[in-house]
Each structure stands twice: as structure tokens, then as C-alpha cells.
Amino acid sequence: MSLAQKKKIYWSLGFLFFSLGIAYLLWPSRSLEPVSVNQVFANAHWAKPIPNLPPLAGVGEVRAENCGRCHTEIYQEWKTSTHANALSDIQFQSELTKSSSPKWLCLNCHTPVANQRENLVNYLQNGDYKLPIEEKNPHFDPKMKAEAITCAACHVRLDEQGNSYVIGANGETKPPHPVRIQPEKLRQRCLDCHNANYELDDQLVCAFKTGNELQASKATHGKETCGSCHMQEVQRRFVKAELGTPVRKAHKHAFIGGGVPKRFDLYQKQIPGGYRIGLKVDPIRWSFLKNGLEYSISIKNEKAAHNIPTGDPERFLLGRVSILDQKGNLLEKKEIKFGQEWEWYPKAKMVSDTRILPGETKNWKETFTVHSSNSPTRIVLELYHIRLKESNAEYMRKGNDLATEEFKRKIAKVEEHYPFSSLIYKEEADLRTQKRKLYSPEELIRISSNRRGE
Ligand code: HEC
Ligand code: HEC
Ligand code: HEC
Ligand code: HEC
Ligand code: HEC
């Protein structure tokens, strides 16, 4: 072998080892160990869905649709609820289709039973929530998936033998299906999802503290549970009349909240479902000073045992006062916000919180300068409950890389499909005659259902 040939071989060998070394360093699975979800998210009960629930004796598949064969009224109410719409929610779908979204985690609260999941996640590569190891779920039920927070999410669990049973709160009933009476467990279930306070990393935090807020209001609100207000009592049969069961104390299942439903057609279900504003608003007070009009507004959180607004940090209340002249021309508009402000980068943190605490009263006072060229004659107060800001809707319209064509079309015109906000209070007063008009809940719902956008 000539020297030149030897050199060539050494170079080739050198190059081969060099390439192998690089490949070794870059090979993805080299440093990735599967770590169990339970280990990474100890104490976070929402890190996994409820285990697969087999068919319930006397009922069949544990779908809401099946429960609805006998529990007809409850089923109809539940179908109008935000719970039943927690998967089809356009905002949720839009967030889910962003490539950065930890879908598997989001779905644990929005579709909380394993039967609703194509894939299950028991392990994370390297314990990283962004690298779930997905396994096919042989018990996947696509119909049940569409039901989102279905009856079984609160009512069905596995017994010691691995059979499904229903959790009830009453007893002395004779259902055709197995039932265990565990009222506390059933009533406390809300907190598993509505009291999640967790930091995944610098940017992604879960900050729902409605349960803690309720706890803090114990002194004024006593032993109330979420259901005391969100599941109104009604006297009726639990099941359709043909089954001949007695009329009992029962509960509405529409789970109405702040009066901003997920679709425009659901506005008409808000009042029958139990919607009522949590605020007590005093009539506007005003007085004419030497060269000004002084007015004040007083708003109390009277009926909610938690902050208003609660839950999602994006929400806020907007108060708006307009001063008009005799012809209805706007002379001045002043606004105030009650809500949280967050800073998301470099680290998510709440920078201010002006939400209204249970029992708290917010007073708002302003002065309008009167001069020779204006003559204020009318004052209007409006309160809006805002769920989605236009700036966030714009963000939704932009980044929906993975959405299906159908959703892309909906998201592009999200304001036509999705209520962003509702008008929850309106008062008009004539500054001279003192005559006032107060809008009724029905009028407000009608106006809201015709509004579009923020
Ligand atoms: C074939 C009819 C039928 C079906 C289907 C059915 N139920 Fe029932 N269920 C009943 C009857 C009857 C009662 C007892 C009513 C009474 O005595 O007032 C009952 C009672 C209950 C109770 C109250 C028990 C208590 O004492 O507090 C709950 C909760 C309940 N069912 C949930 C469900 C759920 C969830 C499903 C679906 C997974 C379901 N049921 C499916 C007929 C049915
Ligand atoms: C988000 C949780 C949740 C969901 C979802 C839910 N329920 Fe309930 N349900 C409850 C709670 C809590 C009670 C007990 C209320 C009490 O007694 O304080 C209850 C009570 C009941 C009762 C007893 C009668 C009554 O009205 O108090 C029946 C029957 C029932 N639910 C059936 C259903 C059916 C059928 C579905 C689905 C269509 C369903 N529930 C969905 C939480 C839920
Ligand atoms: C499995 C998780 C889960 C459980 C359990 C749960 N919720 Fe919810 N709840 C949600 C999610 C998710 C939403 C919001 C869905 C959306 O906006 O798309 C929601 C929304 C609501 C709303 C807001 C309705 C609105 O449109 O403003 C109310 C009120 C509510 N839940 C009450 C309750 C009550 C009361 C209970 C217990 C009886 C309960 N929830 C149990 C997950 C849950
Ligand atoms: C004393 C009655 C009461 C109790 C108890 C109560 N709520 Fe509410 N909740 C209300 C009222 C009233 C509203 C409507 C507030 C408004 O005017 O916007 C509301 C609104 C909501 C909303 C909609 C978000 C918003 O800001 O409007 C959610 C979600 C909610 N409640 C969840 C819960 C949960 C979860 C619990 C239990 C931890 C609970 N509530 C306990 C009265 C109550
Ligand atoms: C611990 C349970 C839980 C997890 C995990 C969860 N959510 Fe939710 N989500 C909720 C509850 C509860 C609400 C309702 C809060 C309220 O109305 O106060 C909600 C509401 C929402 C809403 C509606 C907000 C509104 O104002 O109407 C969107 C959108 C949403 N979630 C997206 C997501 C996304 C995206 C993820 C994953 C990054 C996720 N959620 C993970 C429980 C959860």
C-alpha cells in the first residue's frame, strides 16, 4: 500500500468516526428517558383522565346520550351548558391547534374521561410535558368525545371489581343502574377543574382559583358549594314521567355562569338555565357643581361567592359612562375595567387584580366639565362582561396552523360564530327630569345576542 493510499484510509476512517460521534451527540433518544406522568405531576389529579369506564349495567355505554334516554330534562339542560360545549368551543379549538399547545393536558379537563381519548399518555420523554408518549386507546368512543364534560365526568366511577357505578346524592331512589350515595364527593368534584393553580413553565400557567375564592368567602357565604348557585333547585322527577317516579328536590344542569354563552343561539337558554347577574348596581347619582357635573357609580359583588369575574384571567368587566346632549350627541365617554392584568414574558406573572371580591363594593366617581358650548342632558351607564378581547381574537385568526379547513373558516370570522362579550347592565337617566330607564334581564339578553365582537 502506498503512503498516499494509507493516508486516504486514515482520512476515511477519521471521517467515519467523526460522523459517528456527531450522530451520537445529535441522536434524539440518547438522553430521553420515559418518566411517568404521575411522577412529573404528583398531586395534579387533572394530569390524567378518569380511567376507561366499561358499559354501565342497566344503561350501556356511559355516554350522556344514553343517560338522556331516561333523564330527559337534565340531558336537555346539560346540552346547552358550557360543559357540553367545552370541546367544540372555537377558542379552545383554536388554542388546541397551535403547534405549541400541550393538547394532551388541555384535553384532560375539557374531555375528562379516557373513553373520550384516541390516545392516552402515561409517560413523558425525559419528563417533559411537551414530549408526551402517546399510546392508542382501544376503548376510544368518538361519540362520547364530542360530549366534552359529559355526565360520567362527574357521575360515573369504577368500583373495586372494575365495574362502572353512578355517584348520586340522594338515596331512597330505585335506579335500574348501580348507584352509590356520595353527596360530598359529587358536590366537591367541581374543584378538580375549577381550582387548578399550577405553573408548567415560565409562560404556561393554570390560574383558576375559584375554589380558593369560595373558601375565602366562607364567613359571608357559609356552607355554599358551587352547585348552590350554579345548579338551582327545582321540584321535578329525575326521569321522564312514564317511569312513574315521584317529584323530588332536583337540580338544574345548565351550569350557567357569567352570561356569555359559547354560541349565539344559546343566549335564549341563559335565563331559563338560571342566569342572574352577580352584581348589585346602585342607580347613578349625580349633582351639578359650579362648572361641572359630578357623577358616581357603585357596584357590589352581592351574589357570587367568588371574585367577579372569576376563572380565566382574560376576562374582565367593563364599565362605561356616556354623557349625551339633547340631540343624543356624545359629549364624553369614560371607561373603567375590573379584571386581572398579566405580563407573559419573560415569565408569566399577574401584575394587577381589580376584580370585585365577594361582598366588596367598588365606587367610581368622575366629573364632566360643563361649559357654554355643551349642555349635558343624558347619562348612560353600561356594564359589559368580556370573555374574549378583539386583540386575542386577532391572535386566534393568525396562528391556527393545524386547524381543519372547517375550523379555519370559523376562526377567520370568529366574531360571527362566537360571542365575545355580553351587555349585563344598562341604565339611562335624564339629568333634568330625573327620569330613568333600567333595562330588564330579557332586554339585555336580546341586545347581547345581536352584538358582535368585544
Ligand atoms: C333506563 C333508565 C335510566 C338510564 C338510562 C339512566 N338512569 Fe339514572 N336513574 C334512573 C331512575 C329510574 C332513577 C331513580 C329516580 C327516582 O327514583 O326518582 C335514577 C337515578 C339516578 C341518579 C340519582 C341517584 C340518587 O339517589 O341520588 C343519578 C345521579 C343518575 N340516575 C345518573 C345517571 C347517569 C349518569 C346515567 C348515564 C350514565 C343514568 N343515570 C342513566 C333511570 C335511568
Ligand atoms: C359538572 C358535574 C356534573 C355533570 C356534568 C352532570 N351532573 Fe348530575 N349532578 C351533579 C351534582 C353536583 C349533583 C347533586 C346536586 C345536589 O344534590 O347538590 C347532580 C345531581 C344529579 C341527579 C340527581 C337529581 C338532581 O337533579 O339533583 C341526576 C339524576 C343527575 N345529576 C343526572 C345527570 C345526567 C343525566 C347528566 C348528564 C346529562 C349529569 N347529571 C351531568 C353534577 C353533575
Ligand atoms: C372535568 C372538569 C370540570 C368539572 C369537574 C367541572 N367543570 Fe365547570 N367548566 C369546566 C370547563 C373546561 C369549563 C369551560 C369550558 C369552555 O369555556 O369551553 C367550565 C365552565 C363552567 C362554568 C362557566 C359557564 C359559563 O359559560 O360562564 C360554570 C358556571 C361551571 N363550569 C360550573 C361548574 C360546577 C358547578 C361544577 C361542579 C358541579 C363544575 N363546573 C365542574 C370544567 C369542569
Ligand atoms: C353564592 C353563589 C355562588 C357560588 C357559591 C358560586 N358561584 Fe360562580 N357565579 C355566581 C354568579 C352570580 C355568577 C355570575 C357573575 C356575574 O355577574 O358575572 C357566577 C359566575 C361564575 C363563573 C363564570 C365566570 C365569571 O366570571 O362570570 C364561573 C366559571 C363560576 N361562577 C364558577 C363557580 C365555581 C367553580 C364555584 C364553586 C367553587 C362557584 N362558581 C360558586 C354565583 C356563585
Ligand atoms: C385543570 C383543568 C384545565 C386544564 C388542564 C385546562 N383547562 Fe381550559 N378551562 C378549565 C376551566 C375550569 C375553564 C373555565 C374557567 C372559567 O370559566 O372560570 C376553562 C376554560 C377554557 C377556555 C375558555 C375561556 C373563556 O373565557 O371562555 C379555553 C379557551 C381553554 N380553557 C383552553 C385551554 C387550553 C388551550 C388548555 C391547555 C393549555 C386548557 N384549557 C387546559 C379547565 C382546564
Side-chain angles (χ1 to χ4, degrees), residues 287 289 291-295 332 334 365-370:
S287 53
L289 308 173
N291 44 20
L293 162 71
E294 194 182 80
Y295 57 89
E332 188 176 82
K334 284 247 164 90
K365 201 172 191 170
E366 297 282 354
T367 310
F368 172 76
T369 318
V370 181

Side-chain angles (χ1 to χ4, degrees), residues 64 67-68 71 74-75 78 83 149-151 153-155 169-170 186-187 189 231 236 238 249-253 255:
C67 311
H71 298 286
I74 292 181
Y75 177 66
W78 165 85
H83 285 155
I149 301 168
T150 178
C151 317
C154 298
H155 281 291
N170 300 278
L186 184 56
R187 290 173 193 146
R189 168 68 172 136
M231 301 182 73
R236 67 176 174 203
F238 290 3
K249 183 175 89 185
H251 299 84
K252 284 200 181 167
H253 271 68
F255 304 100

Side-chain angles (χ1 to χ4, degrees), residues 88-96 262 312 314 387-388 392 396 407 414 418:
S88 58
D89 180 336
I90 300 180
Q91 193 187 353
F92 181 67
Q93 283 295 332
S94 140
E95 286 175 15
L96 212 59
K262 294 289 168 180
D312 195 282
E314 253 179 52
R387 199 154 190 170
L388 180 64
N392 288 331
M396 277 165 61
F407 259 112
V414 58
Y418 196 71

Side-chain angles (χ1 to χ4, degrees), residues 289-361:
L289 308 173
K290 217 159 64 206
N291 44 20
L293 162 71
E294 194 182 80
Y295 57 89
S296 65
I297 312 292
S298 164
I299 304 171
K300 182 178 181 192
N301 176 351
E302 193 181 62
K303 297 195 199 79
H306 47 67
N307 302 350
I308 296 184
T310 187
D312 195 282
E314 253 179 52
R315 283 194 193 141
F316 60 96
L317 284 185
L318 178 78
R320 177 184 296 154
V321 169
S322 311
I323 311 280
L324 307 163
D325 68 12
Q326 199 157 16
K327 290 190 189 131
N329 297 316
L330 182 68
L331 300 175
E332 188 176 82
K333 187 170 86 179
K334 284 247 164 90
E335 292 185 340
I336 193 167
K337 277 186 184 181
F338 301 108
Q340 310 174 53
E341 292 287 344
W342 282 69
E343 211 174 74
W344 298 103
Y345 296 97
K347 190 172 164 33
K349 82 172 194 262
M350 185 167 74
V351 286
S352 76
D353 185 358
T354 55
R355 291 177 299 168
I356 315 178
L357 308 178
E360 189 190 7
T361 302

